Amino acid sequence: MSALAPNRIARLRLDRWAIALVLVAIYLVGLVLSPSAFGNPVYLLNTVRQVTPVGIAAIGVTMVMIIGGVDLSVGAVISMTVVLSAALMDGAASNMPLAIAVACCAGILMGAINGALIAFSRVSPFILTLGTGIALIGLTQMFTGGTARGAVAPGFREVFNARLGGTLPVLALFLLGLTAVGLVIEKRTLLGRHLFLLGSNAQAARLAGLPVRGITIAAYTLSGLFAALAGLALLARSGVSSTQAGQGMEFQVLAAVVLGGTTFEGGRGGIIGTVIGVLVLGLAFNLVNVMGLPYHAQLVVMGAIIIAASALYGQLGGAGN
Amino acid sequence: CAQSVDALREAKASEIVDTAPFVKEGPYRVGVSAGYLSNSWVIFALQQLRWEASKHDVEEIIVTDAAFNPAKQISDIEDLLRQDIDLLIYWPVDDASVEDVLARAIADGVPTVQAGGGFTASDSTVANAYISQWKLGEMVARQLVKDMGGEGKVVAMLPIAGTVAAVEQLAALETVLADHPGIELAAVEYGDWNRAKAKQITENLLQRFPRIDGVFSPAGQMSIGMAEAFDEAGRLSEVTFSPGDEFNGWLKWVAQHGQGGAVTFPTKAGSVALQVGLDILQGNEVKRGLAVASEYIAPTDIGDYADMDAPDDWWATDLPAEFLPQQ
Amino acid sequence: MPLLEAHNLSKHYAGVAALTEVDFSADAGEIHALVGANGAGKSTLMTIIAGANTPSEGTLSLDGVPLRHGGPAAAQAQGIATVYQEFSLVPHLSVARNIFLGREPVTRLGLVDRAGLIAQTCALLDRFAITLDPMAEVGTLSVAQQQMVEIARALSQPARILILDEPTAVLSLAEQENLFRIMRRLRADGMLVLYVSHYLNEVLEIADRITVLRDGRIVGTRKAKDLQISDLVQMMIGRDAPVAPTAADSPERAANFVITYATHAGQQELTMQAGEIVGLAGLVGAGRTTFGRAIAGLHRPGAIATLTHEGALLNNSTPRQAMRAGIAYLTEDRKKDGLFAGLDIVANATAAALPRTTRGGFRRPQVERAQAEAVLKRLHLVAARLGMPVAQLSGGNQQKVVLGRALMTEPRLLICDEPTRGVDIGAKAELHQIIRDLAANGAAVLIISSEFEELQALAHRIVVMRDRCFVADLPVGQADQQEMLIAASGGPTEKETA
Amino acid sequence: MSGAVAQPGQMGIAFGRAGIWIALSVVLVVAGALLPQFRDPENLANIGRQIGVLGILAIGQTFVIAAGAIDLSVGMLAGLVVVLTCALSPEYALLPVMLAMMCLGAGVGVLNGVMFTRLRLNPLILTFGMMSVLHGVIFIITDRSIGRAPSFLRDLANGQMWGVPFAAMIVLALGIAGHVALTRSKFGYHLLATGGNTESARRAGIPTRRIFVLAFALSGISAALAGLLLAGRIGVGFPLAGQGLELDAIVAVVLGGTALSGGRGSVARAIAGVVLLAIISNLLNLMQVSGFAQTALKGMIVVIAILVNQPPKDRA
Ligand SMILES: Nc1ncnc2c1ncn2[C@@H]1O[C@H](COP(=O)(O)OP(=O)(O)OP(=O)(O)O)[C@@H](O)[C@H]1O
Ligand SMILES: Nc1ncnc2c1ncn2[C@@H]1O[C@H](COP(=O)(O)OP(=O)(O)OP(=O)(O)O)[C@@H](O)[C@H]1O
Ligand SMILES: [Mg+2]
Ligand SMILES: [Mg+2]
């Protein structure tokens, strides 16, 4: 019996926390370049508020990616819930519960459809969810006829954008709460363990008698639900519905999840990493913005940060091919 | 330079075009190639066009949507030409990109009319029903300078980088500011006609600049996002907003806050385009460019335009009920 | 001068020393075997020689000339051909393309000569009397057939050294005999064959010299003819061999399992008693795995197994249902559908029995851990921590974890497909004892094995399968190896089953 | 990528390979029978023109996907080529510009490939980052349409001979070359092996890193070629010209039955996928389906097509 040497344990920790190191590094760079911004809690919490929609959606997508899938339809689901809930609210506070409930159900339905199609076939989830996402965008546009219908109920935006004690935004709390929910699912429930088992080895999971299809559907359904909640958060943030609200968000979400150490192969990673990944992207975007780089330079820097951060992570032994 | 471009444009616009090769008997089939449809202004302009068509001898309107993809728009126009249309109305993703295919349309005897924000002087566009983004930008900039008293630090929020709208609005702003050295253009950002994005960018601008005196934002959609960011940062009082367009959400905001105002970006450009097209088909005298004028609405007069019961994503309009977009 | 010489080789994996200061030499024209317990470092040494692995320290030389490390391609170019312990085939490609991977013949146009490729493959397979379809996609072949593809690939190279890392673990008797013939022929041609195996009797039969590794160090190199199995075991594990196991007595005939197997060839039946261990023998591709998987709910067209227990029909329509009905299946391909490689030991062991440890959908990690620990203790698992990734365990210990998973479901019928493949002799005896205990506690056990000794040691009854049919059913006392081979390969048999 | 995996049944493959051809035939027959405008040779020529850019992109993408990676940067790369070609053409001769663009494409591809193999990055994330970088570079060059495509490219993209558009001929020629390279050349053999199981290929002595770099380089070159044709098609250096092309190309490749997990792939079927998408888009236009409904239908068609055209089933 060979005992494990201590440096192996240290190394494992390093793998897991690589993305946190990246976060700290970016933060320190920000602090040096713009102490007034990055030293200011109001500013930092505002960054959290900005990334809330992406962050919430990323929690759901993490669960899907743990089982080795991927969900590119989240952008479309976000757009759909934004439009749908605004249309149902129709400017009246009394409609709010109904609108929120329907939006969540729509997200769940879309997720369940994705999950069922994937569970009962052998198609690539990447292309399948790309397809269902495109279809959903079209359906949303048909529903609206091109103008964003409806209006946000009074108070909806105000409540979510309020700052408790003048610093802590309610939206950030919303993200925190949903992160906690996601963490409980991941770490403490049967489903959470099933996600990892299925993602680690689908064949073995089937042989071990796990309800593979049920797990798949559950994961995608959760992704749909979290995307719907992200849509509500986005509606709260932007205050207006738009058929393009979630356009392209799926790639930000994907970048964050992968940065956080959840791989496309599945079986590893987790929500903590994802949330840190989201924050890395948020801080990076703010950093280039605060530095006053023009729009196009921002794109270059963003791309470079995504590559560099995941390269650093890969070098530390985490992701990779 | 940009100013002279506009002058040149006006000169070119007053040319009389040769309609002889296109004259035809009705009823007409009209093809509409939209560069994009997922935008409420465009939807209203299209409804204006349909409304106008209902008053004339138009048998069918066929609409395609290129969803911002210039190559798809070329394909769309090719496909429209295969459906025996008599008139092609389009608004381009990019005006130069459709030139070749429009030339083929003309060779097929189908006149081409551009609708919306741009003016194209090329031979492959027979006529334009246009709103000058440059003029609009200039009006907005002048009003802003006036409201600010010619002093202070300004940030500009433009639509998608690279679009005609973004290019001409910026050119107009820079031209106006050249005469007003007291005003400093601190930052130019692109909010993609996206309220949430404009808001996020503004939040960062607020962090970057301890003081911002003015906002140049001709698109009302983005102006609201910006206003929310200023509001949430508790800094709404320090800033002067430029006029936006007739985006209903913005009009409502102006009505509530009594500042900013609006410069119209009339959706009736759609019906004007159809009229011009029909004039060509009927051999009437047609100028190469028919400008649909923008006008300034002061905050005090906004009440006539803002529809407090309609959604934000809505435009001041005189469309009859049956032609209103679905709500 | 020895053909191959290793001097002072060491290999460290993040804190684990797989090899420590190994000095090793082997000559042309010999079959040199390497033995050692699981994790002793045999494969590590082989992969380093094959160029697929870089040593942390030390040098290798060929004919006295130092080998520079240049990856597998360089090693191949210098005449080293390798059959790796883990599969190294590309499943989507055909047998022919796999065999000549990287060395495809080309036509004058510079394109791959497809006809030539097939022809060369056929010639090679004929020369070594290997029966394989050159056009078949490798992924569709059985494990044993895939192993033969790997061997054929190694043989297709002009080599001076052939490395075989546990080649016979998945082979059945006939292939094994053929392989030994081939090895002797290569030896006669002056080649060095490096041979890793856990089957000590095989090793003693075929090898000229034997090197024993323990914990990454060389214990010694001896002439095979000077050695007995007991000496080898002594060298490998540092103590005497475990007591040779014998077959247990037949149990009371009780609670019947009747298994009906429907194939294209028709329906047949197999009965088993609770407490009985039935061995399933057969040559490669006889269809034993397919049968076992069908019982466990992994049916495929033309292989449907239904079963009754005391007359009551059990639902085995899916693996999940089968598991609920008390049927557990231990896979022959641990890596592919046994292990959750990235997860820790507890997660692996409890995977099938998780609902038993949860309350209201919420996990109770302590309960999980305690239950896993209890089972794994019974199996004498050797691991530093229960929280370590299962992939870091040695093969035998991995097998124990997978077996532990099956035991946690408390099965009434356990199907073990090649349960001790790639497991060292010490662990093997332990696994055998566990299976016996399980049967003694009332479970019916079906053992699929290509190793006659294993079946003889464990089973009460041996069923022989040929071409998807049960062709003989013998009490273990009456089954001798000769007779089983005849039955398995299609000769006349004494007792035919229904 | 682990040991011996997927165990496809023969039936599944046979159908998987035929799937795209069946779909294409069905759509052709039905459309030809029901819509006279569709049969119109001019309309068919239009479709031929419309497959040019995507067809070329799909060829390059097939190589990368068959190698087990993916390249999201090709759309923006093509867009960059469009902008540069149009910007440079007025001043420089056509041939040097085209050569420079091919070098640019190859360079970006090699950069992708080297980063992929050396930094062990996930290809999706790597090329997504590269896409963002290229997007930025385009806008550093220009934020508006610039220049004019040389007339040669414009004629190439829009012209035809004997009723067959040049664009279709180019796709056909490159497609045959790509198909032969993937199915008959040593490089193709080694690429499919690398995609099927990288470690096995490496152990067989295949320089897998070089294979990946070459695959990405091919993808970059095909993006450059597609960009040149796209420049001819739209005639002007529009900065966003390439946006979204990468996803369409990937969809086409997958419709053609190439698995995203690598190891399988067919250039011919990828091009069939492109043709199918072009025909569907053409049909929806001819049938006057509204733009929004077209989007919805396109998504549903992708879903149905991949459900019908599934990868082969694993051994139970
Ligand atoms: N990639 C790796 N990372 C970390 N440790 C490894 C790795 N590969 C092997 N080891 C460790 O190195 C040691 C030697 O392993 P090796 O595979 O050489 O043993 P072996 O003698 O071939 O055993 P077996 O009989 O089970 O095949 C073991 O402790 C194993 O856990
Ligand atoms: N009932 C059946 N119907 C159709 N095909 C079968 C059937 N049984 C077995 N086969 C085929 O025969 C081949 C060998 O079967 P299998 O792997 O079950 O044999 P095995 O005896 O376990 O051999 P090995 O020694 O290789 O483990 C498989 O490829 C399988 O497809
Ligand atoms: Mg080994
Ligand atoms: Mg078997």
Side-chain angles (χ1 to χ4, degrees), chain C residues 4-200:
Chain C
L4 175 75
E5 232 179 334
H7 182 60
N8 199 26
L9 275 188
S10 294
K11 174 73 192 181
H12 308 282
Y13 288 110
V16 180
L19 284 181
T20 315
E21 293 162 10
V22 165
D23 287 310
F24 169 78
S25 71
D27 300 318
E30 78 165 331
I31 296 176
H32 194 122
L34 270 118
V35 298
N38 290 131
K42 307 177 295 288
S43 298
T44 306
L45 181 56
M46 294 300 109
T47 49
I48 288 175
I49 296 171
N53 208 337
T54 24
S56 314
E57 254 174 74
T59 54
L60 276 175
S61 55
L62 206 62
D63 277 335
V65 184
L67 265 178
R68 276 205 317 122
H69 183 83
Q76 273 177 31
Q78 307 196 56
I80 302 174
T82 313
V83 174
Y84 294 94
Q85 182 176 11
E86 321 89 76
F87 280 108
S88 306
L89 299 174
V90 183
H92 303 320
L93 302 183
S94 68
V95 168
R97 285 177 76 157
N98 265 287
I99 289 179
F100 285 98
L101 191 54
R103 295 170 290 116
E104 298 83 358
V106 285
T107 62
R108 248 171 287 136
L109 290 171
L111 298 179
V112 173
D113 176 6
R114 297 203 281 191
L117 181 61
I118 301 290
Q120 287 189 18
T121 307
C122 289
L124 177 78
L125 295 178
D126 282 350
R127 180 145 51 97
F128 293 104
I130 301 169
T131 38
L132 282 174
D133 172 9
M135 304 290 284
E137 211 173 292
V138 158
T140 63
L141 300 180
S142 72
V143 184
Q145 290 170 318
Q146 294 186 3
Q147 180 70 293
M148 290 313 291
V149 176
E150 302 229 30
I151 292 168
R153 176 156 89 193
L155 294 173
S156 71
Q157 302 166 22
R160 305 170 63 195
I161 301 178
L162 174 65
I163 298 174
L164 297 166
D165 195 349
E166 294 197 35
T168 55
V170 299
L171 297 186
S172 65
L173 287 170
E175 272 87 352
Q176 193 177 313
E177 287 301 327
N178 187 22
L179 178 64
F180 285 176
R181 240 188 342 264
I182 294 169
M183 284 165 68
R184 293 196 179 99
R185 197 160 122 194
L186 297 174
R187 172 175 61 188
D189 294 346
M191 203 156 147
L192 164 61
V193 179
L194 290 174
Y195 177 62
V196 179
S197 177
H198 286 294
Y199 302 118
L200 302 182

